[in-house]
Amino acid sequence: MRRAAQSANRRLLGLALTLVLLLGGGCASRVPSEIIYAAFGASDSVGIGAVPLKQGYVWQIRDALDRQVEDVRLLNLGIPAADARGIRDVLTLALRSGLRPDLVTLWTGTNDVIAGEDPDTFETHLEAILELLTEETEATIVVGDLPDLTMIPRFREEPNAFVTKARVDAFNAAIQRQVSRYEVLLVPMAASPVASQCVSSVDGFHPNNAGHRKIANLFLKVILPAIGLSDGV
C-alpha cells in the first residue's frame, strides 16, 4: 500500500513538474518575434512638429519595439487634419485591404474638439473604430485620451470657443466609456500636464521633438508590459 502510494505521489509530482515546465514555456513564448504595428491618428501620428518627421512619436514607438523584437513592421496610417470620422474611413479601407495588425495605437479627438464636433457624434465614430478593430483583428489596441488643450500655447494666446475644459472633459469621458466597453488599453494623456517646452515654437500647437518623445514614452509604458516586453523606457 505504502509503495503504491509513493508511486502515485511520484507520478503526480512528475505531472506537476511537467505542467510547470509547460506553463513556463508558455510564458516565455508571449514575447513576440514579429509585430505588425498600425498607427491611426492625425498630424501628430505623421510626426508633424518633429524634426525630422521620423522623430515623431509613432516612429519612436517603432524604434523602441525594434530594440526588443526581431521583426517590426510599421504602417503609419495617420492623416493630417483627420477627425474620428476620417480615421474610421481609413481603418475600414485598411481592413478591406487585408490589414491584420498585432498592435494598434489610436489617438484621436483633438481635431473633433477644435472643429466643434458634438461629443456624442465623436463617440459614435470612436465606438465604430473600436468595434471594427476588436471584431476584425486580434491586435493589442492602445488608445490615448486628450490632454488639456486649453493649456496649449496657441489656445492660451488665441482662445477658441470650441476649445474649453468642459468640452475636452466630455470627449475624454467618451473615450473612457468606449475603452472600458471594448476592454482596450488607455494611455492617460489627460493626467500629464501640457508643458510649453514640449510644444513646437513654429505653430504653438503640435508637439516638438521633446513633446513627441514624451508622448512615445507614455504610450510605451502601456504597450510594452501588455505585449510581454521590458517596460524600461
Side-chain angles (χ1 to χ4, degrees):
M1 290 282 293
R2 183 177 298 175
R3 282 198 296 272
Q6 289 174 340
S7 178
N9 286 339
R10 283 196 294 272
R11 286 197 297 272
L12 287 172
L13 179 59
L15 177 60
L17 289 171
T18 300
L19 287 173
V20 167
L21 290 171
L22 287 172
L23 290 172
C27 291
S29 67
R30 287 185 63 245
V31 178
S33 60
E34 62 177 20
I35 292 177
I36 298 173
Y37 166 30
F40 293 90
S43 51
D44 296 319
S45 177
V46 176
I48 300 299
V51 181
L53 290 178
K54 287 195 174 182
Q55 286 299 309
Y57 81 88
V58 166
W59 309 99
Q60 294 194 41
I61 292 171
R62 189 278 312 273
D63 290 345
L65 294 172
D66 204 39
R67 288 193 284 272
Q68 299 191 56
V69 178
E70 184 177 341
D71 182 15
V72 180
R73 284 169 281 172
L74 168 63
L75 292 89
N76 192 335
L77 297 171
I79 305 292
D83 57 9
R85 183 195 304 268
I87 292 171
R88 174 183 180 176
D89 292 342
V90 169
L91 172 62
T92 300
L93 289 172
L95 292 173
R96 286 176 183 170
S97 299
L99 174 67
R100 293 299 182 269
D102 303 299
L103 169 67
V104 169
T105 58
L106 171 66
W107 196 22
T108 184
T110 295
N111 289 329
D112 302 75
V113 172
I114 296 169
E117 184 65 88
D118 182 80
D120 291 339
T121 303
F122 165 78
E123 186 167 2
T124 297
H125 295 308
L126 178 61
E127 180 181 2
I129 290 168
L130 295 179
E131 183 176 7
L132 282 168
L133 285 169
T134 53
E135 288 187 353
E136 300 292 332
T137 80
E138 296 182 359
T140 298
I141 302 163
V142 187
V143 181
D145 65 7
L146 305 182
D148 184 357
L149 301 176
T150 65
M151 298 307 295
I152 292 175
R154 175 189 287 184
F155 299 121
R156 289 209 313 266
E157 296 166 8
E158 299 178 15
N160 181 312
F162 294 129
V163 182
T164 66
K165 186 66 165 57
R167 275 178 50 79
V168 172
D169 288 346
F171 275 71
N172 278 337
I175 292 169
Q176 290 273 2
R177 281 191 294 272
Q178 295 308 315
V179 163
S180 296
R181 177 178 180 179
Y182 286 96
E183 299 181 336
V184 298
L185 301 172
L186 177 71
V187 178
M189 298 288 184
S192 184
V194 175
S196 295
Q197 63 267 29
C198 290
V199 180
S200 170
S201 60
V202 175
D203 61 13
F205 176 66
H206 289 97
N208 57 19
N209 284 33
H212 277 282
R213 184 162 55 251
K214 179 179 179 179
I215 295 164
N217 285 341
L218 289 170
F219 268 93
L220 286 165
K221 284 184 181 298
V222 175
I223 291 168
L224 295 178
I227 60 177
L229 300 178
S230 168
D231 62 354
V233 297

PDB file of all heavy atoms in Angstrom, residues 193-233:
ATOM      1  N   PRO A 193       0.415  66.972 -17.470  1.00  0.00           N
ATOM      2  CA  PRO A 193       0.270  68.402 -17.761  1.00  0.00           C
ATOM      3  C   PRO A 193       0.936  68.782 -19.085  1.00  0.00           C
ATOM      4  O   PRO A 193       1.961  68.226 -19.461  1.00  0.00           O
ATOM      5  CB  PRO A 193       0.981  69.082 -16.580  1.00  0.00           C
ATOM      6  CG  PRO A 193       1.016  68.055 -15.494  1.00  0.00           C
ATOM      7  CD  PRO A 193       1.109  66.734 -16.192  1.00  0.00           C
ATOM      8  N   VAL A 194       0.331  69.736 -19.788  1.00  0.00           N
ATOM      9  CA  VAL A 194       0.905  70.249 -21.029  1.00  0.00           C
ATOM     10  C   VAL A 194       2.048  71.196 -20.671  1.00  0.00           C
ATOM     11  O   VAL A 194       1.854  72.166 -19.942  1.00  0.00           O
ATOM     12  CB  VAL A 194      -0.158  70.978 -21.864  1.00  0.00           C
ATOM     13  CG1 VAL A 194       0.485  71.619 -23.095  1.00  0.00           C
ATOM     14  CG2 VAL A 194      -1.265  70.029 -22.276  1.00  0.00           C
ATOM     15  N   ALA A 195       3.239  70.921 -21.185  1.00  0.00           N
ATOM     16  CA  ALA A 195       4.411  71.754 -20.918  1.00  0.00           C
ATOM     17  C   ALA A 195       4.760  72.550 -22.174  1.00  0.00           C
ATOM     18  O   ALA A 195       4.910  71.971 -23.257  1.00  0.00           O
ATOM     19  CB  ALA A 195       5.597  70.888 -20.499  1.00  0.00           C
ATOM     20  N   SER A 196       4.876  73.851 -22.035  1.00  0.00           N
ATOM     21  CA  SER A 196       5.157  74.708 -23.199  1.00  0.00           C
ATOM     22  C   SER A 196       6.433  74.299 -23.903  1.00  0.00           C
ATOM     23  O   SER A 196       6.535  74.405 -25.132  1.00  0.00           O
ATOM     24  CB  SER A 196       5.242  76.173 -22.762  1.00  0.00           C
ATOM     25  OG  SER A 196       4.000  76.624 -22.274  1.00  0.00           O
ATOM     26  N   GLN A 197       7.420  73.802 -23.147  1.00  0.00           N
ATOM     27  CA  GLN A 197       8.691  73.423 -23.760  1.00  0.00           C
ATOM     28  C   GLN A 197       8.568  72.175 -24.617  1.00  0.00           C
ATOM     29  O   GLN A 197       9.510  71.814 -25.327  1.00  0.00           O
ATOM     30  CB  GLN A 197       9.780  73.245 -22.703  1.00  0.00           C
ATOM     31  CG  GLN A 197       9.538  72.140 -21.703  1.00  0.00           C
ATOM     32  CD  GLN A 197       8.839  72.629 -20.448  1.00  0.00           C
ATOM     33  OE1 GLN A 197       8.073  73.586 -20.493  1.00  0.00           O
ATOM     34  NE2 GLN A 197       9.120  71.977 -19.315  1.00  0.00           N
ATOM     35  N   CYS A 198       7.413  71.511 -24.563  1.00  0.00           N
ATOM     36  CA  CYS A 198       7.192  70.324 -25.385  1.00  0.00           C
ATOM     37  C   CYS A 198       6.339  70.623 -26.623  1.00  0.00           C
ATOM     38  O   CYS A 198       5.961  69.706 -27.351  1.00  0.00           O
ATOM     39  CB  CYS A 198       6.507  69.237 -24.559  1.00  0.00           C
ATOM     40  SG  CYS A 198       7.582  68.511 -23.290  1.00  0.00           S
ATOM     41  N   VAL A 199       6.039  71.912 -26.852  1.00  0.00           N
ATOM     42  CA  VAL A 199       5.190  72.321 -27.972  1.00  0.00           C
ATOM     43  C   VAL A 199       6.028  73.080 -28.983  1.00  0.00           C
ATOM     44  O   VAL A 199       6.892  73.897 -28.625  1.00  0.00           O
ATOM     45  CB  VAL A 199       4.020  73.192 -27.483  1.00  0.00           C
ATOM     46  CG1 VAL A 199       3.138  73.629 -28.655  1.00  0.00           C
ATOM     47  CG2 VAL A 199       3.190  72.438 -26.445  1.00  0.00           C
ATOM     48  N   SER A 200       5.769  72.821 -30.262  1.00  0.00           N
ATOM     49  CA  SER A 200       6.523  73.468 -31.331  1.00  0.00           C
ATOM     50  C   SER A 200       6.398  74.985 -31.256  1.00  0.00           C
ATOM     51  O   SER A 200       5.292  75.525 -31.115  1.00  0.00           O
ATOM     52  CB  SER A 200       6.015  72.977 -32.695  1.00  0.00           C
ATOM     53  OG  SER A 200       6.565  73.746 -33.737  1.00  0.00           O
ATOM     54  N   SER A 201       7.537  75.676 -31.373  1.00  0.00           N
ATOM     55  CA  SER A 201       7.520  77.138 -31.407  1.00  0.00           C
ATOM     56  C   SER A 201       7.081  77.663 -32.767  1.00  0.00           C
ATOM     57  O   SER A 201       6.787  78.842 -32.919  1.00  0.00           O
ATOM     58  CB  SER A 201       8.914  77.685 -31.071  1.00  0.00           C
ATOM     59  OG  SER A 201       9.877  77.215 -32.019  1.00  0.00           O
ATOM     60  N   VAL A 202       7.005  76.781 -33.760  1.00  0.00           N
ATOM     61  CA  VAL A 202       6.603  77.188 -35.107  1.00  0.00           C
ATOM     62  C   VAL A 202       5.116  77.496 -35.160  1.00  0.00           C
ATOM     63  O   VAL A 202       4.694  78.518 -35.709  1.00  0.00           O
ATOM     64  CB  VAL A 202       6.958  76.095 -36.141  1.00  0.00           C
ATOM     65  CG1 VAL A 202       6.435  76.470 -37.522  1.00  0.00           C
ATOM     66  CG2 VAL A 202       8.459  75.863 -36.175  1.00  0.00           C
ATOM     67  N   ASP A 203       4.285  76.605 -34.557  1.00  0.00           N
ATOM     68  CA  ASP A 203       2.839  76.829 -34.627  1.00  0.00           C
ATOM     69  C   ASP A 203       2.168  76.871 -33.258  1.00  0.00           C
ATOM     70  O   ASP A 203       0.969  77.120 -33.168  1.00  0.00           O
ATOM     71  CB  ASP A 203       2.162  75.762 -35.500  1.00  0.00           C
ATOM     72  CG  ASP A 203       2.345  74.342 -34.972  1.00  0.00           C
ATOM     73  OD1 ASP A 203       2.780  74.166 -33.828  1.00  0.00           O
ATOM     74  OD2 ASP A 203       2.040  73.399 -35.741  1.00  0.00           O
ATOM     75  N   GLY A 204       2.928  76.640 -32.201  1.00  0.00           N
ATOM     76  CA  GLY A 204       2.340  76.687 -30.866  1.00  0.00           C
ATOM     77  C   GLY A 204       1.271  75.640 -30.627  1.00  0.00           C
ATOM     78  O   GLY A 204       0.461  75.761 -29.705  1.00  0.00           O
ATOM     79  N   PHE A 205       1.284  74.591 -31.425  1.00  0.00           N
ATOM     80  CA  PHE A 205       0.214  73.592 -31.345  1.00  0.00           C
ATOM     81  C   PHE A 205       0.744  72.165 -31.333  1.00  0.00           C
ATOM     82  O   PHE A 205       0.448  71.387 -30.415  1.00  0.00           O
ATOM     83  CB  PHE A 205      -0.750  73.788 -32.524  1.00  0.00           C
ATOM     84  CG  PHE A 205      -1.846  72.773 -32.604  1.00  0.00           C
ATOM     85  CD1 PHE A 205      -2.819  72.703 -31.616  1.00  0.00           C
ATOM     86  CD2 PHE A 205      -1.910  71.878 -33.660  1.00  0.00           C
ATOM     87  CE1 PHE A 205      -3.844  71.766 -31.695  1.00  0.00           C
ATOM     88  CE2 PHE A 205      -2.922  70.931 -33.747  1.00  0.00           C
ATOM     89  CZ  PHE A 205      -3.892  70.880 -32.756  1.00  0.00           C
ATOM     90  N   HIS A 206       1.500  71.793 -32.360  1.00  0.00           N
ATOM     91  CA  HIS A 206       1.987  70.411 -32.446  1.00  0.00           C
ATOM     92  C   HIS A 206       3.140  70.180 -31.458  1.00  0.00           C
ATOM     93  O   HIS A 206       3.862  71.126 -31.114  1.00  0.00           O
ATOM     94  CB  HIS A 206       2.470  70.109 -33.869  1.00  0.00           C
ATOM     95  CG  HIS A 206       1.352  70.019 -34.858  1.00  0.00           C
ATOM     96  ND1 HIS A 206       0.980  71.081 -35.661  1.00  0.00           N
ATOM     97  CD2 HIS A 206       0.509  68.999 -35.171  1.00  0.00           C
ATOM     98  CE1 HIS A 206      -0.033  70.717 -36.425  1.00  0.00           C
ATOM     99  NE2 HIS A 206      -0.343  69.460 -36.146  1.00  0.00           N
ATOM    100  N   PRO A 207       3.323  68.943 -31.029  1.00  0.00           N
ATOM    101  CA  PRO A 207       4.470  68.648 -30.168  1.00  0.00           C
ATOM    102  C   PRO A 207       5.778  68.807 -30.932  1.00  0.00           C
ATOM    103  O   PRO A 207       5.846  68.511 -32.127  1.00  0.00           O
ATOM    104  CB  PRO A 207       4.246  67.190 -29.752  1.00  0.00           C
ATOM    105  CG  PRO A 207       3.334  66.627 -30.787  1.00  0.00           C
ATOM    106  CD  PRO A 207       2.484  67.753 -31.286  1.00  0.00           C
ATOM    107  N   ASN A 208       6.807  69.304 -30.244  1.00  0.00           N
ATOM    108  CA  ASN A 208       8.147  69.332 -30.835  1.00  0.00           C
ATOM    109  C   ASN A 208       8.828  67.999 -30.534  1.00  0.00           C
ATOM    110  O   ASN A 208       8.174  67.042 -30.087  1.00  0.00           O
ATOM    111  CB  ASN A 208       8.947  70.531 -30.307  1.00  0.00           C
ATOM    112  CG  ASN A 208       9.060  70.538 -28.784  1.00  0.00           C
ATOM    113  OD1 ASN A 208       8.873  69.515 -28.120  1.00  0.00           O
ATOM    114  ND2 ASN A 208       9.344  71.699 -28.214  1.00  0.00           N
ATOM    115  N   ASN A 209      10.134  67.925 -30.769  1.00  0.00           N
ATOM    116  CA  ASN A 209      10.821  66.644 -30.543  1.00  0.00           C
ATOM    117  C   ASN A 209      10.658  66.151 -29.107  1.00  0.00           C
ATOM    118  O   ASN A 209      10.410  64.966 -28.868  1.00  0.00           O
ATOM    119  CB  ASN A 209      12.310  66.769 -30.892  1.00  0.00           C
ATOM    120  CG  ASN A 209      12.549  66.758 -32.391  1.00  0.00           C
ATOM    121  OD1 ASN A 209      11.720  67.241 -33.165  1.00  0.00           O
ATOM    122  ND2 ASN A 209      13.679  66.235 -32.818  1.00  0.00           N
ATOM    123  N   ALA A 210      10.777  67.081 -28.141  1.00  0.00           N
ATOM    124  CA  ALA A 210      10.614  66.686 -26.738  1.00  0.00           C
ATOM    125  C   ALA A 210       9.186  66.230 -26.466  1.00  0.00           C
ATOM    126  O   ALA A 210       8.958  65.278 -25.712  1.00  0.00           O
ATOM    127  CB  ALA A 210      10.986  67.851 -25.826  1.00  0.00           C
ATOM    128  N   GLY A 211       8.218  66.902 -27.093  1.00  0.00           N
ATOM    129  CA  GLY A 211       6.826  66.520 -26.918  1.00  0.00           C
ATOM    130  C   GLY A 211       6.532  65.150 -27.506  1.00  0.00           C
ATOM    131  O   GLY A 211       5.841  64.331 -26.892  1.00  0.00           O
ATOM    132  N   HIS A 212       7.052  64.889 -28.699  1.00  0.00           N
ATOM    133  CA  HIS A 212       6.857  63.569 -29.306  1.00  0.00           C
ATOM    134  C   HIS A 212       7.518  62.480 -28.464  1.00  0.00           C
ATOM    135  O   HIS A 212       6.967  61.374 -28.335  1.00  0.00           O
ATOM    136  CB  HIS A 212       7.410  63.554 -30.735  1.00  0.00           C
ATOM    137  CG  HIS A 212       6.467  64.104 -31.754  1.00  0.00           C
ATOM    138  ND1 HIS A 212       5.411  63.389 -32.240  1.00  0.00           N
ATOM    139  CD2 HIS A 212       6.422  65.319 -32.376  1.00  0.00           C
ATOM    140  CE1 HIS A 212       4.741  64.105 -33.137  1.00  0.00           C
ATOM    141  NE2 HIS A 212       5.332  65.291 -33.232  1.00  0.00           N
ATOM    142  N   ARG A 213       8.668  62.784 -27.884  1.00  0.00           N
ATOM    143  CA  ARG A 213       9.347  61.800 -27.038  1.00  0.00           C
ATOM    144  C   ARG A 213       8.502  61.509 -25.790  1.00  0.00           C
ATOM    145  O   ARG A 213       8.368  60.351 -25.368  1.00  0.00           O
ATOM    146  CB  ARG A 213      10.726  62.316 -26.639  1.00  0.00           C
ATOM    147  CG  ARG A 213      11.547  61.319 -25.823  1.00  0.00           C
ATOM    148  CD  ARG A 213      13.021  61.703 -25.831  1.00  0.00           C
ATOM    149  NE  ARG A 213      13.250  63.066 -25.382  1.00  0.00           N
ATOM    150  CZ  ARG A 213      13.620  64.074 -26.170  1.00  0.00           C
ATOM    151  NH1 ARG A 213      13.809  63.870 -27.468  1.00  0.00           N
ATOM    152  NH2 ARG A 213      13.800  65.298 -25.677  1.00  0.00           N
ATOM    153  N   LYS A 214       7.908  62.552 -25.221  1.00  0.00           N
ATOM    154  CA  LYS A 214       7.051  62.367 -24.040  1.00  0.00           C
ATOM    155  C   LYS A 214       5.832  61.521 -24.388  1.00  0.00           C
ATOM    156  O   LYS A 214       5.461  60.594 -23.643  1.00  0.00           O
ATOM    157  CB  LYS A 214       6.612  63.733 -23.510  1.00  0.00           C
ATOM    158  CG  LYS A 214       5.698  63.675 -22.301  1.00  0.00           C
ATOM    159  CD  LYS A 214       5.339  65.082 -21.838  1.00  0.00           C
ATOM    160  CE  LYS A 214       4.395  65.040 -20.636  1.00  0.00           C
ATOM    161  NZ  LYS A 214       4.046  66.403 -20.168  1.00  0.00           N
ATOM    162  N   ILE A 215       5.209  61.790 -25.534  1.00  0.00           N
ATOM    163  CA  ILE A 215       4.035  61.018 -25.963  1.00  0.00           C
ATOM    164  C   ILE A 215       4.417  59.557 -26.192  1.00  0.00           C
ATOM    165  O   ILE A 215       3.715  58.636 -25.765  1.00  0.00           O
ATOM    166  CB  ILE A 215       3.428  61.636 -27.234  1.00  0.00           C
ATOM    167  CG1 ILE A 215       2.874  63.027 -26.935  1.00  0.00           C
ATOM    168  CG2 ILE A 215       2.333  60.734 -27.815  1.00  0.00           C
ATOM    169  CD1 ILE A 215       2.605  63.865 -28.174  1.00  0.00           C
ATOM    170  N   ALA A 216       5.547  59.352 -26.873  1.00  0.00           N
ATOM    171  CA  ALA A 216       6.000  57.977 -27.127  1.00  0.00           C
ATOM    172  C   ALA A 216       6.203  57.225 -25.820  1.00  0.00           C
ATOM    173  O   ALA A 216       5.786  56.063 -25.680  1.00  0.00           O
ATOM    174  CB  ALA A 216       7.297  57.998 -27.933  1.00  0.00           C
ATOM    175  N   ASN A 217       6.812  57.873 -24.838  1.00  0.00           N
ATOM    176  CA  ASN A 217       7.074  57.207 -23.566  1.00  0.00           C
ATOM    177  C   ASN A 217       5.781  56.856 -22.833  1.00  0.00           C
ATOM    178  O   ASN A 217       5.679  55.794 -22.205  1.00  0.00           O
ATOM    179  CB  ASN A 217       7.967  58.078 -22.681  1.00  0.00           C
ATOM    180  CG  ASN A 217       9.414  58.085 -23.147  1.00  0.00           C
ATOM    181  OD1 ASN A 217       9.838  57.199 -23.891  1.00  0.00           O
ATOM    182  ND2 ASN A 217      10.170  59.084 -22.730  1.00  0.00           N
ATOM    183  N   LEU A 218       4.793  57.754 -22.912  1.00  0.00           N
ATOM    184  CA  LEU A 218       3.506  57.458 -22.277  1.00  0.00           C
ATOM    185  C   LEU A 218       2.838  56.245 -22.926  1.00  0.00           C
ATOM    186  O   LEU A 218       2.294  55.376 -22.236  1.00  0.00           O
ATOM    187  CB  LEU A 218       2.597  58.687 -22.351  1.00  0.00           C
ATOM    188  CG  LEU A 218       2.981  59.870 -21.453  1.00  0.00           C
ATOM    189  CD1 LEU A 218       2.145  61.101 -21.795  1.00  0.00           C
ATOM    190  CD2 LEU A 218       2.804  59.511 -19.981  1.00  0.00           C
ATOM    191  N   PHE A 219       2.890  56.174 -24.260  1.00  0.00           N
ATOM    192  CA  PHE A 219       2.336  55.009 -24.951  1.00  0.00           C
ATOM    193  C   PHE A 219       3.117  53.746 -24.604  1.00  0.00           C
ATOM    194  O   PHE A 219       2.533  52.689 -24.345  1.00  0.00           O
ATOM    195  CB  PHE A 219       2.348  55.231 -26.465  1.00  0.00           C
ATOM    196  CG  PHE A 219       1.080  55.829 -27.010  1.00  0.00           C
ATOM    197  CD1 PHE A 219       0.942  57.194 -27.169  1.00  0.00           C
ATOM    198  CD2 PHE A 219       0.006  55.018 -27.371  1.00  0.00           C
ATOM    199  CE1 PHE A 219      -0.230  57.756 -27.666  1.00  0.00           C
ATOM    200  CE2 PHE A 219      -1.162  55.562 -27.867  1.00  0.00           C
ATOM    201  CZ  PHE A 219      -1.289  56.943 -28.021  1.00  0.00           C
ATOM    202  N   LEU A 220       4.442  53.850 -24.601  1.00  0.00           N
ATOM    203  CA  LEU A 220       5.272  52.673 -24.367  1.00  0.00           C
ATOM    204  C   LEU A 220       5.091  52.105 -22.962  1.00  0.00           C
ATOM    205  O   LEU A 220       5.185  50.887 -22.765  1.00  0.00           O
ATOM    206  CB  LEU A 220       6.740  53.010 -24.620  1.00  0.00           C
ATOM    207  CG  LEU A 220       7.121  53.156 -26.092  1.00  0.00           C
ATOM    208  CD1 LEU A 220       8.471  53.840 -26.238  1.00  0.00           C
ATOM    209  CD2 LEU A 220       7.130  51.790 -26.791  1.00  0.00           C
ATOM    210  N   LYS A 221       4.824  52.947 -21.990  1.00  0.00           N
ATOM    211  CA  LYS A 221       4.610  52.456 -20.629  1.00  0.00           C
ATOM    212  C   LYS A 221       3.382  51.555 -20.554  1.00  0.00           C
ATOM    213  O   LYS A 221       3.265  50.705 -19.661  1.00  0.00           O
ATOM    214  CB  LYS A 221       4.479  53.632 -19.660  1.00  0.00           C
ATOM    215  CG  LYS A 221       5.808  54.291 -19.328  1.00  0.00           C
ATOM    216  CD  LYS A 221       5.647  55.387 -18.304  1.00  0.00           C
ATOM    217  CE  LYS A 221       6.993  56.055 -18.001  1.00  0.00           C
ATOM    218  NZ  LYS A 221       7.963  55.126 -17.434  1.00  0.00           N
ATOM    219  N   VAL A 222       2.469  51.725 -21.488  1.00  0.00           N
ATOM    220  CA  VAL A 222       1.291  50.857 -21.559  1.00  0.00           C
ATOM    221  C   VAL A 222       1.541  49.678 -22.496  1.00  0.00           C
ATOM    222  O   VAL A 222       1.186  48.537 -22.194  1.00  0.00           O
ATOM    223  CB  VAL A 222       0.064  51.670 -22.028  1.00  0.00           C
ATOM    224  CG1 VAL A 222      -1.145  50.770 -22.239  1.00  0.00           C
ATOM    225  CG2 VAL A 222      -0.255  52.775 -21.028  1.00  0.00           C
ATOM    226  N   ILE A 223       2.177  49.953 -23.640  1.00  0.00           N
ATOM    227  CA  ILE A 223       2.343  48.930 -24.680  1.00  0.00           C
ATOM    228  C   ILE A 223       3.280  47.807 -24.249  1.00  0.00           C
ATOM    229  O   ILE A 223       2.948  46.616 -24.376  1.00  0.00           O
ATOM    230  CB  ILE A 223       2.879  49.567 -25.979  1.00  0.00           C
ATOM    231  CG1 ILE A 223       1.827  50.473 -26.611  1.00  0.00           C
ATOM    232  CG2 ILE A 223       3.322  48.492 -26.979  1.00  0.00           C
ATOM    233  CD1 ILE A 223       2.373  51.349 -27.723  1.00  0.00           C
ATOM    234  N   LEU A 224       4.447  48.168 -23.769  1.00  0.00           N
ATOM    235  CA  LEU A 224       5.492  47.166 -23.555  1.00  0.00           C
ATOM    236  C   LEU A 224       5.087  46.066 -22.577  1.00  0.00           C
ATOM    237  O   LEU A 224       5.218  44.870 -22.885  1.00  0.00           O
ATOM    238  CB  LEU A 224       6.803  47.836 -23.145  1.00  0.00           C
ATOM    239  CG  LEU A 224       7.434  48.743 -24.208  1.00  0.00           C
ATOM    240  CD1 LEU A 224       8.705  49.402 -23.667  1.00  0.00           C
ATOM    241  CD2 LEU A 224       7.750  47.979 -25.479  1.00  0.00           C
ATOM    242  N   PRO A 225       4.569  46.408 -21.388  1.00  0.00           N
ATOM    243  CA  PRO A 225       4.139  45.316 -20.494  1.00  0.00           C
ATOM    244  C   PRO A 225       2.994  44.501 -21.080  1.00  0.00           C
ATOM    245  O   PRO A 225       2.913  43.297 -20.835  1.00  0.00           O
ATOM    246  CB  PRO A 225       3.681  46.072 -19.230  1.00  0.00           C
ATOM    247  CG  PRO A 225       4.242  47.440 -19.328  1.00  0.00           C
ATOM    248  CD  PRO A 225       4.390  47.740 -20.783  1.00  0.00           C
ATOM    249  N   ALA A 226       2.129  45.146 -21.881  1.00  0.00           N
ATOM    250  CA  ALA A 226       0.971  44.446 -22.415  1.00  0.00           C
ATOM    251  C   ALA A 226       1.362  43.352 -23.401  1.00  0.00           C
ATOM    252  O   ALA A 226       0.646  42.368 -23.556  1.00  0.00           O
ATOM    253  CB  ALA A 226       0.028  45.436 -23.094  1.00  0.00           C
ATOM    254  N   ILE A 227       2.508  43.529 -24.072  1.00  0.00           N
ATOM    255  CA  ILE A 227       2.922  42.528 -25.059  1.00  0.00           C
ATOM    256  C   ILE A 227       4.141  41.721 -24.593  1.00  0.00           C
ATOM    257  O   ILE A 227       4.782  41.032 -25.370  1.00  0.00           O
ATOM    258  CB  ILE A 227       3.191  43.154 -26.441  1.00  0.00           C
ATOM    259  CG1 ILE A 227       4.316  44.203 -26.369  1.00  0.00           C
ATOM    260  CG2 ILE A 227       1.936  43.791 -26.994  1.00  0.00           C
ATOM    261  CD1 ILE A 227       4.667  44.794 -27.741  1.00  0.00           C
ATOM    262  N   GLY A 228       4.435  41.829 -23.298  1.00  0.00           N
ATOM    263  CA  GLY A 228       5.454  40.963 -22.709  1.00  0.00           C
ATOM    264  C   GLY A 228       6.878  41.435 -22.908  1.00  0.00           C
ATOM    265  O   GLY A 228       7.805  40.627 -22.833  1.00  0.00           O
ATOM    266  N   LEU A 229       7.070  42.747 -23.121  1.00  0.00           N
ATOM    267  CA  LEU A 229       8.412  43.285 -23.308  1.00  0.00           C
ATOM    268  C   LEU A 229       8.829  44.116 -22.097  1.00  0.00           C
ATOM    269  O   LEU A 229       7.987  44.532 -21.296  1.00  0.00           O
ATOM    270  CB  LEU A 229       8.472  44.144 -24.567  1.00  0.00           C
ATOM    271  CG  LEU A 229       8.125  43.435 -25.878  1.00  0.00           C
ATOM    272  CD1 LEU A 229       8.175  44.416 -27.043  1.00  0.00           C
ATOM    273  CD2 LEU A 229       9.067  42.264 -26.133  1.00  0.00           C
ATOM    274  N   SER A 230      10.123  44.368 -21.988  1.00  0.00           N
ATOM    275  CA  SER A 230      10.638  45.194 -20.900  1.00  0.00           C
ATOM    276  C   SER A 230      10.063  46.599 -21.018  1.00  0.00           C
ATOM    277  O   SER A 230      10.057  47.186 -22.095  1.00  0.00           O
ATOM    278  CB  SER A 230      12.160  45.252 -20.961  1.00  0.00           C
ATOM    279  OG  SER A 230      12.655  46.245 -20.095  1.00  0.00           O
ATOM    280  N   ASP A 231       9.588  47.140 -19.880  1.00  0.00           N
ATOM    281  CA  ASP A 231       8.980  48.468 -19.917  1.00  0.00           C
ATOM    282  C   ASP A 231       9.938  49.568 -19.511  1.00  0.00           C
ATOM    283  O   ASP A 231       9.518  50.673 -19.144  1.00  0.00           O
ATOM    284  CB  ASP A 231       7.725  48.525 -19.047  1.00  0.00           C
ATOM    285  CG  ASP A 231       8.009  48.249 -17.583  1.00  0.00           C
ATOM    286  OD1 ASP A 231       9.167  47.902 -17.261  1.00  0.00           O
ATOM    287  OD2 ASP A 231       7.087  48.367 -16.760  1.00  0.00           O
ATOM    288  N   GLY A 232      11.226  49.318 -19.562  1.00  0.00           N
ATOM    289  CA  GLY A 232      12.195  50.364 -19.262  1.00  0.00           C
ATOM    290  C   GLY A 232      12.315  51.326 -20.429  1.00  0.00           C
ATOM    291  O   GLY A 232      12.914  51.004 -21.439  1.00  0.00           O
ATOM    292  N   VAL A 233      11.682  52.506 -20.328  1.00  0.00           N
ATOM    293  CA  VAL A 233      11.709  53.493 -21.414  1.00  0.00           C
ATOM    294  C   VAL A 233      12.307  54.792 -20.905  1.00  0.00           C
ATOM    295  O   VAL A 233      12.396  55.033 -19.728  1.00  0.00           O
ATOM    296  CB  VAL A 233      10.302  53.746 -21.972  1.00  0.00           C
ATOM    297  CG1 VAL A 233       9.749  52.469 -22.579  1.00  0.00           C
ATOM    298  CG2 VAL A 233       9.345  54.264 -20.933  1.00  0.00           C
TER     299      VAL A 233
END
